[in-house]
Amino acid sequence: MTADAKRAFLETCERQNTNFDAQVDPDFGKEAFRLSALRAPPPFYASVKNCGLTLATIDGITVNHDLQPVMADGTVIEGVRVVGNDQGGFYAGTYPNLAAGLNAGRCATFGRMAGKALATA
């Protein structure tokens, strides 16, 4: 880390400790039970852009209402269904961090729908 980056990171850690002590997160609205203190002696480790966007594919394969992949010319691939993280268009460009389990729920729901469609085809 550069000197400025290190200073900013340590200031962020101190802000996290202040929020933890107050059991309130005015910065992001995180629930109190999710707050943690960052008081252990260094070294500290950080991850760049680690957020809800890493939990799911935001853009993926475009599908129709029957979960079939839609090609650029509008045709579909018969006999194929796309679900889970390969399926695009579900999140409209962002992942809602406050909807716990949304990605797992959608994978299970659309997986079941695809399985039923293929079983009756």
Side-chain angles (χ1 to χ4, degrees):
M1 281 189 179
T2 65
D4 287 341
K6 182 178 179 180
R7 181 182 42 73
F9 178 70
L10 292 174
E11 286 174 3
T12 300
C13 290
E14 186 53 39
R15 175 66 177 174
Q16 177 69 15
N17 287 332
T18 299
N19 292 347
F20 175 78
D21 292 342
Q23 286 294 287
V24 174
D25 182 4
D27 303 324
F28 301 102
K30 188 184 297 184
E31 299 96 335
F33 75 92
R34 296 188 188 277
L35 297 172
S36 301
L38 295 172
R39 291 200 171 90
F44 293 111
Y45 298 92
S47 167
V48 177
K49 295 183 181 178
N50 188 7
C51 60
L53 298 177
T54 61
L55 299 174
T57 302
I58 302 303
D59 297 314
I61 300 169
T62 301
V63 299
N64 64 13
H65 290 287
D66 295 321
L67 307 176
Q68 296 170 301
V70 178
M71 307 297 288
D73 64 3
T75 61
V76 299
I77 301 174
E78 293 296 332
V80 175
R81 299 299 190 273
V82 179
V83 299
N85 279 329
D86 292 328
Q87 182 190 63
F90 187 79
Y91 296 109
T94 186
Y95 185 82
N97 291 328
L98 298 177
L102 179 63
N103 191 51
R106 112 180 149 114
C107 291
T109 300
F110 288 121
R112 182 175 187 271
M113 290 170 58
K116 287 177 69 173
L118 291 170
T120 58

